[in-house]
Amino acid sequence: MKNGNVVKNKMSNQFTLLYDGNKEFLQGFSLLTEPSGDFSERYCLEITLDKFLFPFYVDIRSKITLRDDDIEFVGEIDAETLEKVTRLEILSKVENYYELFHSERNIDFDPEATQVSYGGRVYDEKEMRSLVDSSLDFWLTAGRYNKQFEKEYAEFLGVRYALLTNSGSSANLLAFSALTSPKLKERQIKPGDEVITVAAGFPTTVTPIVQNGAVPVFIDVELGTYNIIVDRIEEAITPKTKAIMVAHTMGNPFELDKVMGIAAKYNLWVVEDNCDALGSKFNEKLTGTYGHIGTSSFYPPHHMTMGEGGAVYTNNALLKSIIESFRDWGRDCWCPSGCDNTCNKRFGWELGSLPFGYDHKYTYSHIGYNLRVTEMQAAIGVEQLKKVPAFTQARKDNFQRLFEGLKDLGEHFILPRATENSDPSWFGFMLTVQDDAKFTKNEIVEYLEANRIQTRMLFAGNLTRQPAFHNVNYRISGDLKNTDKIMHDTFLVGVYPGLTHEKIDYVVGKIRSFVLAKN
């Protein structure tokens, strides 16, 4: 690494930090002896030179060209400081790139051409700067940004531990797999044990149960809230029941007080799939923090994004260590990458039938995976997390605008409603076509899609009807009448923060015009 030269203009006595040039002309940044009025850490850096008692301030926006004959050498800055200055210039250019090529996207709305998406990325120059900043380190795997995000995410949720992983589906897999650990002794979930869940939702809320050899027990959901019918849970419990694993559908919290009460009564684990509900609250407390384990997804349509990515969180120290083990190849060691001997007895363990002193970094206590996140994903997440409160409010506002525009269409649709005592951070706006409506779900969905309004189903509809579940060992408690109704008659439109009032009003207008034409 090379040092940077500081020179002084013989004519003006202006100090300059050189960064490039040839024999005739030299390029540099002007150095100030005191910060300017618009000093910003995004563009400015304080540097010191051994021979001066005062600091200098470099502003990478203030470039200057000098002739070699006009300057005199006055000192050097070390390579580490030069790297910081160079990095700052790169990040400044990234910000300029954002302004030129990204900032104007999705601003203009043309009803005849613009697609109204159900979800998508909402970001600004800060995410792009953070992403590039992490790439310049070229650490690639989990590093400083990963550590920062896990700490800040846990603080945001109000839990003790948060662990990043590569997707929300992986988060669910890790959450359930952790409950199969022999370290849990008599509470370990084993093949053949049963888990209470629902069939109306996303597959990877349920597939970890199947993948670990347990048996999903499906309970029907309520129309309107689309959450598990809590009053049916107890009748579904048998001596084999070990856990409840369900999602907060569309960001609408299920009845956590009742579910946790049942779980305590029967000594059951509770896993909250919080992937669609970041920012939702039940009784003024964030969802995902009631159960023994909570999970999040950071796929672009969700409440914040890393592109891909997910998180698992808990207040239980033992569960945290087990989740970390399953995520990191199943190893028993908890040292982060690049660190050795955190336990101070790396060669002092005797586990399994391994010889005493076998390297703890290569000792495995679970049949695990590699589901780690990249540093670049975490870097995006650090900036996205700061926006979650605003994102949450935007989702609530968009949901309410849709509801106000459609609330008089109750004879045609079952309208979505929040669970009692909840404050949802909505993922989407669900509509279920009434049995006696003069149109079908397929007809209105085709109409909306033809008018560039993106729609989605309640994911798998009814998992037991999916090809992947034809040979799966599961049990249905009661019936799945409402789940089948959802499969046939329910769809959603978006509420994500990228939707302007103009777009929301367009969606309302198209739904209303379709219904009017059918009556």
Side-chain angles (χ1 to χ4, degrees), residues 98-109:
Y98 168 84
E99 293 296 335
L100 287 170
F101 302 111
H102 286 258
S103 62
E104 297 299 319
R105 293 182 180 182
N106 300 319
I107 291 179
D108 296 327
F109 175 60

PDB file of all heavy atoms in Angstrom, residues 98-109:
ATOM      1  N   TYR A  98     -26.526   6.683  -8.066  1.00  0.00           N
ATOM      2  CA  TYR A  98     -27.916   6.490  -7.640  1.00  0.00           C
ATOM      3  C   TYR A  98     -28.784   7.646  -8.132  1.00  0.00           C
ATOM      4  O   TYR A  98     -29.880   7.433  -8.678  1.00  0.00           O
ATOM      5  CB  TYR A  98     -28.002   6.378  -6.115  1.00  0.00           C
ATOM      6  CG  TYR A  98     -29.436   6.469  -5.620  1.00  0.00           C
ATOM      7  CD1 TYR A  98     -30.253   5.337  -5.610  1.00  0.00           C
ATOM      8  CD2 TYR A  98     -29.969   7.689  -5.202  1.00  0.00           C
ATOM      9  CE1 TYR A  98     -31.575   5.432  -5.202  1.00  0.00           C
ATOM     10  CE2 TYR A  98     -31.287   7.777  -4.788  1.00  0.00           C
ATOM     11  CZ  TYR A  98     -32.084   6.649  -4.793  1.00  0.00           C
ATOM     12  OH  TYR A  98     -33.399   6.746  -4.401  1.00  0.00           O
ATOM     13  N   GLU A  99     -28.319   8.859  -7.925  1.00  0.00           N
ATOM     14  CA  GLU A  99     -29.107  10.024  -8.307  1.00  0.00           C
ATOM     15  C   GLU A  99     -29.377  10.050  -9.812  1.00  0.00           C
ATOM     16  O   GLU A  99     -30.459  10.437 -10.259  1.00  0.00           O
ATOM     17  CB  GLU A  99     -28.399  11.320  -7.885  1.00  0.00           C
ATOM     18  CG  GLU A  99     -28.316  11.518  -6.379  1.00  0.00           C
ATOM     19  CD  GLU A  99     -29.676  11.673  -5.729  1.00  0.00           C
ATOM     20  OE1 GLU A  99     -30.630  12.101  -6.442  1.00  0.00           O
ATOM     21  OE2 GLU A  99     -29.813  11.373  -4.530  1.00  0.00           O
ATOM     22  N   LEU A 100     -28.393   9.613 -10.597  1.00  0.00           N
ATOM     23  CA  LEU A 100     -28.534   9.648 -12.049  1.00  0.00           C
ATOM     24  C   LEU A 100     -29.409   8.535 -12.598  1.00  0.00           C
ATOM     25  O   LEU A 100     -30.210   8.752 -13.517  1.00  0.00           O
ATOM     26  CB  LEU A 100     -27.145   9.566 -12.706  1.00  0.00           C
ATOM     27  CG  LEU A 100     -26.265  10.806 -12.611  1.00  0.00           C
ATOM     28  CD1 LEU A 100     -24.858  10.491 -13.090  1.00  0.00           C
ATOM     29  CD2 LEU A 100     -26.865  11.951 -13.425  1.00  0.00           C
ATOM     30  N   PHE A 101     -29.297   7.335 -12.023  1.00  0.00           N
ATOM     31  CA  PHE A 101     -29.885   6.168 -12.675  1.00  0.00           C
ATOM     32  C   PHE A 101     -30.919   5.398 -11.849  1.00  0.00           C
ATOM     33  O   PHE A 101     -31.558   4.491 -12.368  1.00  0.00           O
ATOM     34  CB  PHE A 101     -28.775   5.207 -13.107  1.00  0.00           C
ATOM     35  CG  PHE A 101     -27.782   5.835 -14.034  1.00  0.00           C
ATOM     36  CD1 PHE A 101     -26.484   6.089 -13.622  1.00  0.00           C
ATOM     37  CD2 PHE A 101     -28.141   6.206 -15.325  1.00  0.00           C
ATOM     38  CE1 PHE A 101     -25.559   6.689 -14.474  1.00  0.00           C
ATOM     39  CE2 PHE A 101     -27.225   6.786 -16.186  1.00  0.00           C
ATOM     40  CZ  PHE A 101     -25.930   7.033 -15.765  1.00  0.00           C
ATOM     41  N   HIS A 102     -31.087   5.734 -10.580  1.00  0.00           N
ATOM     42  CA  HIS A 102     -32.050   5.010  -9.745  1.00  0.00           C
ATOM     43  C   HIS A 102     -33.115   5.888  -9.115  1.00  0.00           C
ATOM     44  O   HIS A 102     -34.229   5.425  -8.875  1.00  0.00           O
ATOM     45  CB  HIS A 102     -31.317   4.244  -8.628  1.00  0.00           C
ATOM     46  CG  HIS A 102     -30.586   3.038  -9.091  1.00  0.00           C
ATOM     47  ND1 HIS A 102     -31.057   1.757  -8.929  1.00  0.00           N
ATOM     48  CD2 HIS A 102     -29.397   2.908  -9.734  1.00  0.00           C
ATOM     49  CE1 HIS A 102     -30.196   0.893  -9.432  1.00  0.00           C
ATOM     50  NE2 HIS A 102     -29.188   1.565  -9.931  1.00  0.00           N
ATOM     51  N   SER A 103     -32.793   7.126  -8.822  1.00  0.00           N
ATOM     52  CA  SER A 103     -33.685   7.938  -7.981  1.00  0.00           C
ATOM     53  C   SER A 103     -35.014   8.260  -8.647  1.00  0.00           C
ATOM     54  O   SER A 103     -36.012   8.475  -7.958  1.00  0.00           O
ATOM     55  CB  SER A 103     -32.991   9.240  -7.570  1.00  0.00           C
ATOM     56  OG  SER A 103     -32.691  10.019  -8.708  1.00  0.00           O
ATOM     57  N   GLU A 104     -35.060   8.291  -9.970  1.00  0.00           N
ATOM     58  CA  GLU A 104     -36.294   8.671 -10.656  1.00  0.00           C
ATOM     59  C   GLU A 104     -37.208   7.488 -10.957  1.00  0.00           C
ATOM     60  O   GLU A 104     -38.296   7.664 -11.503  1.00  0.00           O
ATOM     61  CB  GLU A 104     -35.952   9.393 -11.974  1.00  0.00           C
ATOM     62  CG  GLU A 104     -35.191  10.690 -11.778  1.00  0.00           C
ATOM     63  CD  GLU A 104     -35.984  11.698 -10.964  1.00  0.00           C
ATOM     64  OE1 GLU A 104     -37.192  11.821 -11.180  1.00  0.00           O
ATOM     65  OE2 GLU A 104     -35.377  12.340 -10.081  1.00  0.00           O
ATOM     66  N   ARG A 105     -36.772   6.280 -10.619  1.00  0.00           N
ATOM     67  CA  ARG A 105     -37.597   5.114 -10.914  1.00  0.00           C
ATOM     68  C   ARG A 105     -38.890   5.142 -10.106  1.00  0.00           C
ATOM     69  O   ARG A 105     -38.907   5.527  -8.942  1.00  0.00           O
ATOM     70  CB  ARG A 105     -36.822   3.819 -10.600  1.00  0.00           C
ATOM     71  CG  ARG A 105     -35.635   3.596 -11.541  1.00  0.00           C
ATOM     72  CD  ARG A 105     -34.936   2.294 -11.219  1.00  0.00           C
ATOM     73  NE  ARG A 105     -33.791   2.088 -12.119  1.00  0.00           N
ATOM     74  CZ  ARG A 105     -33.005   1.017 -12.100  1.00  0.00           C
ATOM     75  NH1 ARG A 105     -33.233   0.042 -11.243  1.00  0.00           N
ATOM     76  NH2 ARG A 105     -32.005   0.911 -12.939  1.00  0.00           N
ATOM     77  N   ASN A 106     -39.957   4.699 -10.713  1.00  0.00           N
ATOM     78  CA  ASN A 106     -41.265   4.543 -10.063  1.00  0.00           C
ATOM     79  C   ASN A 106     -41.904   5.861  -9.625  1.00  0.00           C
ATOM     80  O   ASN A 106     -42.842   5.857  -8.839  1.00  0.00           O
ATOM     81  CB  ASN A 106     -41.160   3.617  -8.835  1.00  0.00           C
ATOM     82  CG  ASN A 106     -40.671   2.234  -9.216  1.00  0.00           C
ATOM     83  OD1 ASN A 106     -41.082   1.698 -10.236  1.00  0.00           O
ATOM     84  ND2 ASN A 106     -39.802   1.681  -8.402  1.00  0.00           N
ATOM     85  N   ILE A 107     -41.383   6.989 -10.126  1.00  0.00           N
ATOM     86  CA  ILE A 107     -41.991   8.265  -9.743  1.00  0.00           C
ATOM     87  C   ILE A 107     -43.198   8.571 -10.629  1.00  0.00           C
ATOM     88  O   ILE A 107     -44.287   8.872 -10.154  1.00  0.00           O
ATOM     89  CB  ILE A 107     -40.960   9.399  -9.803  1.00  0.00           C
ATOM     90  CG1 ILE A 107     -39.926   9.224  -8.681  1.00  0.00           C
ATOM     91  CG2 ILE A 107     -41.636  10.754  -9.684  1.00  0.00           C
ATOM     92  CD1 ILE A 107     -38.853  10.287  -8.663  1.00  0.00           C
ATOM     93  N   ASP A 108     -43.009   8.497 -11.926  1.00  0.00           N
ATOM     94  CA  ASP A 108     -44.097   8.809 -12.856  1.00  0.00           C
ATOM     95  C   ASP A 108     -45.029   7.608 -12.990  1.00  0.00           C
ATOM     96  O   ASP A 108     -44.585   6.479 -13.175  1.00  0.00           O
ATOM     97  CB  ASP A 108     -43.526   9.189 -14.221  1.00  0.00           C
ATOM     98  CG  ASP A 108     -42.705  10.461 -14.162  1.00  0.00           C
ATOM     99  OD1 ASP A 108     -43.057  11.332 -13.358  1.00  0.00           O
ATOM    100  OD2 ASP A 108     -41.723  10.560 -14.910  1.00  0.00           O
ATOM    101  N   PHE A 109     -46.337   7.863 -12.887  1.00  0.00           N
ATOM    102  CA  PHE A 109     -47.322   6.803 -13.022  1.00  0.00           C
ATOM    103  C   PHE A 109     -48.171   7.050 -14.255  1.00  0.00           C
ATOM    104  O   PHE A 109     -48.861   8.065 -14.356  1.00  0.00           O
ATOM    105  CB  PHE A 109     -48.210   6.730 -11.780  1.00  0.00           C
ATOM    106  CG  PHE A 109     -49.326   5.722 -11.903  1.00  0.00           C
ATOM    107  CD1 PHE A 109     -49.046   4.382 -12.120  1.00  0.00           C
ATOM    108  CD2 PHE A 109     -50.653   6.124 -11.810  1.00  0.00           C
ATOM    109  CE1 PHE A 109     -50.063   3.450 -12.232  1.00  0.00           C
ATOM    110  CE2 PHE A 109     -51.681   5.204 -11.919  1.00  0.00           C
ATOM    111  CZ  PHE A 109     -51.385   3.856 -12.140  1.00  0.00           C
TER     112      PHE A 109
END
